Amino acid sequence: MKHKISKLIITLGILATLPACIEVKDKDEEGNVVIQTIEGDDLVVDEPLFLHEGQFLRQDAFQQIRTRSTSPQEYKIKLASLKMGPNGVIYTMGNTVRFDIHSLESMAGVIATFPEGSKAESGKGRSGGAIIIQTANAQGILRIKLIGETGGQGDPGQSPTAAMKGATGATGKNGGNACGVGGIGGSVGGNFNVSGTVGGNGGKGQQGFVGGKGYAGGSSGTLSLTVTNSVNFKPEVEIKPGKGGAGGLGGEGGEGGDGGPGGKKPCAKDKYWPSGAKGPQGDRGPTGPSGSDGVSETACFYVLQNPMCDTKSFSYSK
């Protein structure tokens, strides 16, 4: 059963959320995609709105959502008219959104896949999805931004292994083993006054493993804009795939080697000089490489049955 909202007006300070009229079509036996339908007569937008689980949320309400949807949905928004004010923005949030509008009027309003600078918390950046707009009448400047999410940062380098520990320091020299002639220090190989030494310092640990490669940025998303009649209509299309994520932090360096045991003190039974100092930890491994950028997908504008398609940003006026 379809539900309708007779009039949808969103202006700054009026509503915290827009209660959406949603029709959810059950999946058929073949498991086809569920389509959610939002219907209304008039929609006036003059502030940022975020499409989330069948509702248009204002920015403050959207920021309170802790769990963001990661599975793109398919929506159909059917309106008698859509008026975009100069501060109006509709974010489709990576979903596939079909706008069926009789009359479209825009004063430099924006329809965008994601906000600028959107970044995946982890993993691959999300694709911008698809924006499909069909309108009988259009006028004014409409900015459409196809933006992919920046990929998440790569994983940290793995922990160091035991084999990456630094070398053990050298054993200290023993003191003389006899006293008498020549004072302190006995004869070692015929030498006198040999007092012995502390152990050598441990060696530096090996450098850590390289960090993981950053995750790929999301593709820009696609656009299909069809206008039957246009009056001073100027669409401006920006195509901006997501950048690859930063490389992961290098892993920690290997443990420093143990200090070598001290040499035996002269003229003393079972007394030794101190062991050497533990070696320094190895350097952190190199940062991983950046992830690959997302793909610039196709945007098409159909006016008077003349198509204009590109994978680069463009504008049109007539």
PDB file of all heavy atoms in Angstrom, residues 7 61 69 75 87 96 104 120 137 142 149 163 167 188 233 236 249 251 259 261 269 294 304 311:
ATOM      1  N   LYS A   7       2.470  17.471   1.363  1.00  0.00           N
ATOM      2  CA  LYS A   7       3.384  18.586   1.137  1.00  0.00           C
ATOM      3  C   LYS A   7       4.615  18.407   2.008  1.00  0.00           C
ATOM      4  O   LYS A   7       4.501  18.172   3.213  1.00  0.00           O
ATOM      5  CB  LYS A   7       2.702  19.917   1.470  1.00  0.00           C
ATOM      6  CG  LYS A   7       3.460  21.139   0.933  1.00  0.00           C
ATOM      7  CD  LYS A   7       2.632  22.383   1.147  1.00  0.00           C
ATOM      8  CE  LYS A   7       3.273  23.608   0.516  1.00  0.00           C
ATOM      9  NZ  LYS A   7       3.300  23.567  -0.915  1.00  0.00           N
ATOM     10  N   ALA A  61      20.670  15.786  13.236  1.00  0.00           N
ATOM     11  CA  ALA A  61      20.157  14.442  13.496  1.00  0.00           C
ATOM     12  C   ALA A  61      21.046  13.381  12.863  1.00  0.00           C
ATOM     13  O   ALA A  61      21.298  12.324  13.455  1.00  0.00           O
ATOM     14  CB  ALA A  61      18.725  14.316  12.964  1.00  0.00           C
ATOM     15  N   SER A  69      24.865   3.299   7.553  1.00  0.00           N
ATOM     16  CA  SER A  69      24.535   2.198   6.654  1.00  0.00           C
ATOM     17  C   SER A  69      25.661   1.983   5.655  1.00  0.00           C
ATOM     18  O   SER A  69      26.181   2.918   5.062  1.00  0.00           O
ATOM     19  CB  SER A  69      23.238   2.512   5.916  1.00  0.00           C
ATOM     20  OG  SER A  69      22.943   1.506   4.978  1.00  0.00           O
ATOM     21  N   TYR A  75      16.143   3.657  -3.931  1.00  0.00           N
ATOM     22  CA  TYR A  75      14.999   4.477  -3.597  1.00  0.00           C
ATOM     23  C   TYR A  75      14.412   5.108  -4.851  1.00  0.00           C
ATOM     24  O   TYR A  75      15.142   5.425  -5.799  1.00  0.00           O
ATOM     25  CB  TYR A  75      15.395   5.610  -2.639  1.00  0.00           C
ATOM     26  CG  TYR A  75      15.876   5.156  -1.284  1.00  0.00           C
ATOM     27  CD1 TYR A  75      17.233   4.968  -1.037  1.00  0.00           C
ATOM     28  CD2 TYR A  75      14.980   4.925  -0.241  1.00  0.00           C
ATOM     29  CE1 TYR A  75      17.686   4.551   0.206  1.00  0.00           C
ATOM     30  CE2 TYR A  75      15.421   4.512   1.004  1.00  0.00           C
ATOM     31  CZ  TYR A  75      16.774   4.322   1.218  1.00  0.00           C
ATOM     32  OH  TYR A  75      17.212   3.915   2.447  1.00  0.00           O
ATOM     33  N   ASN A  87      20.988  27.284  -0.281  1.00  0.00           N
ATOM     34  CA  ASN A  87      21.645  26.498   0.766  1.00  0.00           C
ATOM     35  C   ASN A  87      21.172  25.047   0.775  1.00  0.00           C
ATOM     36  O   ASN A  87      21.558  24.271   1.649  1.00  0.00           O
ATOM     37  CB  ASN A  87      21.368  27.117   2.139  1.00  0.00           C
ATOM     38  CG  ASN A  87      21.898  28.529   2.252  1.00  0.00           C
ATOM     39  OD1 ASN A  87      23.041  28.807   1.892  1.00  0.00           O
ATOM     40  ND2 ASN A  87      21.066  29.449   2.730  1.00  0.00           N
ATOM     41  N   THR A  96      21.309   4.181  -4.640  1.00  0.00           N
ATOM     42  CA  THR A  96      20.757   4.407  -5.972  1.00  0.00           C
ATOM     43  C   THR A  96      19.423   5.127  -5.786  1.00  0.00           C
ATOM     44  O   THR A  96      18.503   4.577  -5.170  1.00  0.00           O
ATOM     45  CB  THR A  96      20.542   3.079  -6.714  1.00  0.00           C
ATOM     46  OG1 THR A  96      21.813   2.482  -6.971  1.00  0.00           O
ATOM     47  CG2 THR A  96      19.835   3.302  -8.040  1.00  0.00           C
ATOM     48  N   LEU A 104      11.228  20.994 -11.667  1.00  0.00           N
ATOM     49  CA  LEU A 104      12.461  21.178 -10.894  1.00  0.00           C
ATOM     50  C   LEU A 104      12.932  22.618 -11.032  1.00  0.00           C
ATOM     51  O   LEU A 104      13.124  23.121 -12.143  1.00  0.00           O
ATOM     52  CB  LEU A 104      13.546  20.226 -11.391  1.00  0.00           C
ATOM     53  CG  LEU A 104      14.964  20.428 -10.866  1.00  0.00           C
ATOM     54  CD1 LEU A 104      15.018  20.245  -9.360  1.00  0.00           C
ATOM     55  CD2 LEU A 104      15.941  19.470 -11.542  1.00  0.00           C
ATOM     56  N   ALA A 120      36.029   6.561   4.482  1.00  0.00           N
ATOM     57  CA  ALA A 120      35.648   5.301   5.110  1.00  0.00           C
ATOM     58  C   ALA A 120      36.359   5.159   6.448  1.00  0.00           C
ATOM     59  O   ALA A 120      37.549   5.470   6.570  1.00  0.00           O
ATOM     60  CB  ALA A 120      35.996   4.126   4.199  1.00  0.00           C
ATOM     61  N   ASN A 137      10.071  19.508 -16.474  1.00  0.00           N
ATOM     62  CA  ASN A 137      10.429  20.923 -16.585  1.00  0.00           C
ATOM     63  C   ASN A 137      11.537  21.244 -15.604  1.00  0.00           C
ATOM     64  O   ASN A 137      11.484  20.834 -14.442  1.00  0.00           O
ATOM     65  CB  ASN A 137       9.219  21.808 -16.288  1.00  0.00           C
ATOM     66  CG  ASN A 137       8.032  21.501 -17.181  1.00  0.00           C
ATOM     67  OD1 ASN A 137       8.030  21.834 -18.355  1.00  0.00           O
ATOM     68  ND2 ASN A 137       7.021  20.835 -16.608  1.00  0.00           N
ATOM     69  N   LEU A 142      21.578  23.941 -11.180  1.00  0.00           N
ATOM     70  CA  LEU A 142      21.596  22.755 -10.316  1.00  0.00           C
ATOM     71  C   LEU A 142      22.992  22.168 -10.339  1.00  0.00           C
ATOM     72  O   LEU A 142      23.510  21.821 -11.399  1.00  0.00           O
ATOM     73  CB  LEU A 142      20.584  21.714 -10.787  1.00  0.00           C
ATOM     74  CG  LEU A 142      20.582  20.395 -10.004  1.00  0.00           C
ATOM     75  CD1 LEU A 142      20.139  20.631  -8.559  1.00  0.00           C
ATOM     76  CD2 LEU A 142      19.686  19.359 -10.678  1.00  0.00           C
ATOM     77  N   GLU A 149      33.868   8.007  -1.673  1.00  0.00           N
ATOM     78  CA  GLU A 149      34.536   8.107  -0.374  1.00  0.00           C
ATOM     79  C   GLU A 149      36.037   7.842  -0.496  1.00  0.00           C
ATOM     80  O   GLU A 149      36.464   6.989  -1.284  1.00  0.00           O
ATOM     81  CB  GLU A 149      33.971   7.081   0.604  1.00  0.00           C
ATOM     82  CG  GLU A 149      32.798   7.536   1.407  1.00  0.00           C
ATOM     83  CD  GLU A 149      32.508   6.589   2.551  1.00  0.00           C
ATOM     84  OE1 GLU A 149      32.783   5.379   2.441  1.00  0.00           O
ATOM     85  OE2 GLU A 149      31.983   7.052   3.563  1.00  0.00           O
ATOM     86  N   ALA A 163      63.012 -13.266  15.659  1.00  0.00           N
ATOM     87  CA  ALA A 163      64.228 -13.225  14.846  1.00  0.00           C
ATOM     88  C   ALA A 163      64.715 -11.806  14.595  1.00  0.00           C
ATOM     89  O   ALA A 163      65.853 -11.601  14.160  1.00  0.00           O
ATOM     90  CB  ALA A 163      63.975 -13.930  13.519  1.00  0.00           C
ATOM     91  N   ALA A 167      71.349  -8.319  18.263  1.00  0.00           N
ATOM     92  CA  ALA A 167      72.366  -9.279  18.716  1.00  0.00           C
ATOM     93  C   ALA A 167      72.720  -9.031  20.180  1.00  0.00           C
ATOM     94  O   ALA A 167      72.681  -7.901  20.670  1.00  0.00           O
ATOM     95  CB  ALA A 167      73.607  -9.155  17.849  1.00  0.00           C
ATOM     96  N   VAL A 188      97.491 -12.720  32.716  1.00  0.00           N
ATOM     97  CA  VAL A 188      96.665 -13.333  31.679  1.00  0.00           C
ATOM     98  C   VAL A 188      97.499 -13.303  30.423  1.00  0.00           C
ATOM     99  O   VAL A 188      97.758 -12.251  29.855  1.00  0.00           O
ATOM    100  CB  VAL A 188      95.349 -12.570  31.461  1.00  0.00           C
ATOM    101  CG1 VAL A 188      94.550 -13.206  30.331  1.00  0.00           C
ATOM    102  CG2 VAL A 188      94.507 -12.581  32.742  1.00  0.00           C
ATOM    103  N   PHE A 233      18.017  26.491 -17.863  1.00  0.00           N
ATOM    104  CA  PHE A 233      18.486  25.443 -16.957  1.00  0.00           C
ATOM    105  C   PHE A 233      19.968  25.189 -17.201  1.00  0.00           C
ATOM    106  O   PHE A 233      20.391  24.990 -18.344  1.00  0.00           O
ATOM    107  CB  PHE A 233      17.694  24.155 -17.187  1.00  0.00           C
ATOM    108  CG  PHE A 233      18.093  23.031 -16.276  1.00  0.00           C
ATOM    109  CD1 PHE A 233      18.090  23.181 -14.899  1.00  0.00           C
ATOM    110  CD2 PHE A 233      18.461  21.790 -16.801  1.00  0.00           C
ATOM    111  CE1 PHE A 233      18.450  22.131 -14.058  1.00  0.00           C
ATOM    112  CE2 PHE A 233      18.812  20.738 -15.968  1.00  0.00           C
ATOM    113  CZ  PHE A 233      18.813  20.910 -14.599  1.00  0.00           C
ATOM    114  N   GLU A 236      25.473  21.801 -13.474  1.00  0.00           N
ATOM    115  CA  GLU A 236      26.935  21.788 -13.316  1.00  0.00           C
ATOM    116  C   GLU A 236      27.300  20.478 -12.629  1.00  0.00           C
ATOM    117  O   GLU A 236      26.893  20.227 -11.498  1.00  0.00           O
ATOM    118  CB  GLU A 236      27.405  22.986 -12.498  1.00  0.00           C
ATOM    119  CG  GLU A 236      27.091  24.322 -13.154  1.00  0.00           C
ATOM    120  CD  GLU A 236      27.517  25.511 -12.300  1.00  0.00           C
ATOM    121  OE1 GLU A 236      27.975  25.294 -11.145  1.00  0.00           O
ATOM    122  OE2 GLU A 236      27.391  26.661 -12.767  1.00  0.00           O
ATOM    123  N   LEU A 249      50.491   2.435   9.203  1.00  0.00           N
ATOM    124  CA  LEU A 249      51.676   2.729  10.004  1.00  0.00           C
ATOM    125  C   LEU A 249      52.616   1.530  10.003  1.00  0.00           C
ATOM    126  O   LEU A 249      52.174   0.377  10.107  1.00  0.00           O
ATOM    127  CB  LEU A 249      51.255   3.070  11.426  1.00  0.00           C
ATOM    128  CG  LEU A 249      52.298   3.656  12.376  1.00  0.00           C
ATOM    129  CD1 LEU A 249      52.742   5.034  11.894  1.00  0.00           C
ATOM    130  CD2 LEU A 249      51.716   3.772  13.789  1.00  0.00           C
ATOM    131  N   GLY A 251      55.218  -1.281  11.222  1.00  0.00           N
ATOM    132  CA  GLY A 251      55.236  -2.054  12.461  1.00  0.00           C
ATOM    133  C   GLY A 251      56.389  -1.642  13.370  1.00  0.00           C
ATOM    134  O   GLY A 251      57.375  -1.039  12.945  1.00  0.00           O
ATOM    135  N   GLY A 259      72.272  -7.161  26.773  1.00  0.00           N
ATOM    136  CA  GLY A 259      73.670  -6.808  27.018  1.00  0.00           C
ATOM    137  C   GLY A 259      74.503  -8.050  27.293  1.00  0.00           C
ATOM    138  O   GLY A 259      74.011  -9.035  27.858  1.00  0.00           O
ATOM    139  N   PRO A 261      77.309 -10.456  29.069  1.00  0.00           N
ATOM    140  CA  PRO A 261      77.697 -10.628  30.475  1.00  0.00           C
ATOM    141  C   PRO A 261      79.046  -9.971  30.761  1.00  0.00           C
ATOM    142  O   PRO A 261      79.924  -9.915  29.896  1.00  0.00           O
ATOM    143  CB  PRO A 261      77.757 -12.146  30.631  1.00  0.00           C
ATOM    144  CG  PRO A 261      77.986 -12.669  29.249  1.00  0.00           C
ATOM    145  CD  PRO A 261      77.298 -11.726  28.329  1.00  0.00           C
ATOM    146  N   LYS A 269      86.558 -14.185  43.838  1.00  0.00           N
ATOM    147  CA  LYS A 269      85.926 -15.421  43.441  1.00  0.00           C
ATOM    148  C   LYS A 269      84.456 -15.169  43.134  1.00  0.00           C
ATOM    149  O   LYS A 269      83.717 -14.612  43.955  1.00  0.00           O
ATOM    150  CB  LYS A 269      86.051 -16.455  44.559  1.00  0.00           C
ATOM    151  CG  LYS A 269      85.471 -17.814  44.182  1.00  0.00           C
ATOM    152  CD  LYS A 269      85.671 -18.815  45.315  1.00  0.00           C
ATOM    153  CE  LYS A 269      85.099 -20.182  44.930  1.00  0.00           C
ATOM    154  NZ  LYS A 269      85.290 -21.162  46.030  1.00  0.00           N
ATOM    155  N   GLY A 294      39.661   5.806  -6.642  1.00  0.00           N
ATOM    156  CA  GLY A 294      38.460   5.255  -7.247  1.00  0.00           C
ATOM    157  C   GLY A 294      38.341   5.633  -8.718  1.00  0.00           C
ATOM    158  O   GLY A 294      39.133   6.422  -9.250  1.00  0.00           O
ATOM    159  N   LEU A 304      16.265  17.488 -24.739  1.00  0.00           N
ATOM    160  CA  LEU A 304      15.733  17.480 -26.109  1.00  0.00           C
ATOM    161  C   LEU A 304      16.285  16.280 -26.897  1.00  0.00           C
ATOM    162  O   LEU A 304      16.632  16.383 -28.065  1.00  0.00           O
ATOM    163  CB  LEU A 304      16.065  18.794 -26.825  1.00  0.00           C
ATOM    164  CG  LEU A 304      15.535  20.064 -26.140  1.00  0.00           C
ATOM    165  CD1 LEU A 304      16.013  21.290 -26.896  1.00  0.00           C
ATOM    166  CD2 LEU A 304      14.019  20.022 -26.041  1.00  0.00           C
ATOM    167  N   THR A 311      33.091  11.416 -18.387  1.00  0.00           N
ATOM    168  CA  THR A 311      33.636  10.943 -17.105  1.00  0.00           C
ATOM    169  C   THR A 311      34.417  12.043 -16.411  1.00  0.00           C
ATOM    170  O   THR A 311      35.089  11.800 -15.421  1.00  0.00           O
ATOM    171  CB  THR A 311      34.543   9.719 -17.317  1.00  0.00           C
ATOM    172  OG1 THR A 311      35.582  10.060 -18.247  1.00  0.00           O
ATOM    173  CG2 THR A 311      33.749   8.541 -17.850  1.00  0.00           C
TER     174      THR A 311
END
